[in-house]
Amino acid sequence: MNAPVDGAALVPDRPRRRGIADTGPRFALLMTVVTVSSVSMLDTVLAPKPNDTPGDPLGCLLAAGLDPDGRNVDNVLSTERSSEALSKCMSGVPTVEHWKGMVATLLLLAVAAAVYWWTPRLRELRHRTVPVGDVDRDGTLAAELAELRARAGITYGLAFRVDPARTTAGAVVYGRFGQYTVCLHAGLLVRRSTDPEGFRAVVLHEFAHIRNRDVDFASASTALWRVFVVLALLPYLYHEGRLLLRGLFGLTDSPFWPGAASILAYSLLAGLVLVGLVPLARADLLRRRELHADAGAVDCGAPPAAWQHRDPPGTVAASMRRVTALLRTHPTWAERRRALADHTRLSGVGALSMFLVGVSATLLVNELQVVPGLSADSGAAWCTAAFMAPMLWFPLARSVAASQGTGRGESGVRSGMWLGCGLILGEFARGRHGNEWLAPEPWFLLGLLLAATVAAVWSAQCTRLALALPRRWARWAAGLLNLLVVAAVLGAGLRWWYWSGQYLAVGLHDRTDLLRHQMTSMYPGTWQAYSWELSAVAMLLPNLVDFTTSIPVEAAALALWLLPLVVWACTGAPGLRVRRTLLAGLAGGALCWAGLLAAGYVQHGRRPGSWAERTGAYSFFHTWLVMGAILASSLLTAAAVAAVSRHFWLPRALLAAAVAQLLGMAGWFVLFSADGCLGRYSFLTDRCQWVPAVGLSQIDMLTRTILAPTILFAGCAGLVGAGVGWGVRRVRRGSHVRPAPADHPDETPGRAQTPPPPPVVPAQRGLRLLSSGLVLVLAVSASLLTVAAHESSPGAKPASASVPADTPGDTVDDLVDAPPTARTAKIREWQARAWLGHGGLTHSKRIVDAATDISDAFAAAVQKPRDNGETMLETKKFSRLCGALAKRADDALAYFPVPDKNLQKTWSVTLKGIARQGRICQDAMTPGDADPYRTEADRARVFNQALDEIFDALDPLVAVLDKITKLATSST
């Protein structure tokens, strides 16, 4: 390194700021979770009682094909299939008035503020404390307290009282912002005469609480939690528990039972998780603040010997101590002494704290979705990531800085995995898999674990690199960029889960018919030879789109490998081993070129004969083969580099993957621009020419699709590769893996015990210029590609979102099955009734009325023939009437599928026939249309034939409607 490591550059050394950074944000996250949870809970409690009839909002879901007892994946597909119709239906029914929950939450906060304000006064009245002056006859106690107060730097409002009833040698501080009270126990006054140093240590400890501001956090969180339990949590648990018990004891005849049992059970579980989470998190924070206060007291002059106390034996069995210790609000004396003796313990990242942050974050992102403005798109995910990122980055940065020069390093793996486990547990507790007790494909939850671990490991290793920067402002700037990247990576993981992951977990990964239909519509051609490839693309495309429609994600993907490279260029830190990493990237690029040539060779063998056929499905899948080759080679490169690296393995893996990707894109540009000159490897044309404009268009497509996802997936691949490498080394050595005896011991996927790193020789001027040029070339090329990708991106939603609004009715249902038949007769009856009541009868009546209007108009024209006996028809009038009939048939097609799967085909075929004949009738009666009707006789023949087809189709339409009506009234 070029300068001595200054850990204070990233982690402030003053006790006051250290205490705020350690406990304040976590208290804020905890109370934010409580506040936002109260909105949804009070919404549930204050919502009108469900009437269990198809007239309520659930009736729209029933009309769409929802089966409360069916598979969740079928219910999801039923809503996706008819999303436009469902939106129209839900817009006309009463919805939950979220403003009630928000207003009630504001009242709850007002009550909590009142409790926070009056708690100090009530405490004094309850304990009957007295001012210090009443027991300090000679004034020496007040003088000593003033001296200690000056030593601690307390300059704002502070009062001293004495609790005569407490004989312990302790003290307590309480109060509200700007007005604090230190209450001394009567036993502490006795200790003052026998152990003056111990007395000063206790008082300085309480002053440290004030200086760290944790008195405000603890008091406010206690007040808010108590009010929340009384006014929101208990009413919510009672409301949900009563509904669940009514169903379990058979006191309800709702068709939504027992399908709603899992939903109600998970609602109760989410409330109970909050009951367990808040006390655990609060106890952990209170223990943490005590350790910080101890350190603050020692910094102000308290002797460490004052903590030489023996812990009481206790009455809890040894087997239960680990459990009860989690709920203790004060650490043991032994823990306090260890924290004072080893400053790195206080700076370490606690597994429990990270786990609780993960659980809190999942609960927060779920609850935020009911808040207006955050429920749409991905606002809740980004808001939660903004809360999580500082609580992950700062402890890691402090731990890395504190362990610098010691034998114990911080890798970030443990912290990231515990954070990810917390995210998974919180998501499981929310039960977002509908009426199923467990998600059919829960392994998709591992995406949250990978996102958290990638963010943590990268943050720790990048912080280690940044500590070598020579200037303080540069270290702070690197730390700020580190924080922003961590927030973006966490936000990308949460965004992926709520856009795609949760739907894949319920089983939609193998139900890609809708996306297949969209692709086959966009790219005409013969698709029979690409069945397997089509399924693979339909599976991969939504996951890629999730990472290519967000500026923060694209910027983070660039910074993940570029920021460590820039830091290396400024410091010349040897641990990154850039030359070896670049060689690995070149090898990955060579592998990618081989894959591109192999793809061209394979495609050349099955190239269609005509040029038109080559531009459809064939060209589409060749592009995806190229994307697959670049993506696979980059991921393999990242995994291999991480597996064989001991230090900075994740930044090295990302850098190598980025180089391989850039080389792969350059290779594809060359191959496509020179297509036709490659002989057996030419895939599209046989004419040899150099067309760089065509190659640039292909690069544009690649950057929009895989530029950012490749780097993010490479981070996950690097984790897997590092884990495999660690396991192989452990098996080969037959014992616990020894950390690498090199410059940075913390870069292995676990703890390390090595000597301090050797001093770093400053890089030579020539090498520094070369490294700067290298960084400039890579940065400019990647930045230009990122900007071009974003500028040319259509900004579309994921391809699996819904059917476009202009898709005519049942087009998608030709490929996607209609909703399966409900399991119970009661549900089938309610589905039919809801289908009729929410638009089925209306659409049918409008079609019949439109046909009747045509019939009446035709009958009136027949009654008034011309003088020569021929019938005179008003072409404009009949064109308008036929067009109205076709429009109403299209509207009926856009409505929900028929609730009886056996009748759906008849219903859709009949409506399509009516719509088609209505348009034929309209065209035939359009004035001035001479083609294809050459004569008036042809026009009349087509018109009469269309009318016959329309009236013939009314009979099966009415028959289907009669069967649905009979199904809806089967129990009456």
Side-chain angles (χ1 to χ4, degrees), residues 1-4 468 568-575 579 743-744 757-765 767-768 771:
M1 287 177 267
N2 296 329
W568 169 82
C570 296
T571 62
R579 282 178 292 180
D743 49 324
H744 296 303
V760 179
V761 179
Q764 298 178 359
R765 182 180 182 86
L767 181 60
R768 181 67 59 83
S771 63

Side-chain angles (χ1 to χ4, degrees), residues 807-880:
T807 301
D810 201 52
T811 302
V812 178
D813 287 336
D814 292 337
L815 290 176
V816 183
D817 293 336
T821 303
R823 299 181 182 181
T824 64
K826 185 68 174 178
I827 294 296
R828 292 194 293 272
E829 175 187 342
W830 280 46
Q831 286 178 342
R833 196 187 311 173
W835 187 89
L836 292 171
H838 284 282
L841 281 175
T842 301
H843 286 296
S844 302
K845 185 176 183 301
R846 292 181 65 197
I847 291 174
V848 173
D849 290 344
T852 303
D853 291 341
I854 296 176
S855 177
D856 293 343
F858 186 80
V862 171
Q863 293 177 1
K864 297 179 180 180
R866 292 181 178 181
D867 295 338
N868 57 4
E870 295 181 355
T871 302
M872 177 64 180
L873 299 180
E874 298 181 25
T875 56
K876 291 185 178 180
K877 178 178 181 180
F878 278 92
S879 176
R880 176 178 56 81

Side-chain angles (χ1 to χ4, degrees), residues 906 909-911 913-914 917 947-959:
T906 303
V909 169
T910 302
L911 288 177
I914 293 176
Q917 296 302 324
L947 289 188
D948 292 338
E949 294 286 346
I950 289 173
F951 291 121
D952 289 343
L954 290 179
D955 293 335
L957 188 71
V958 173

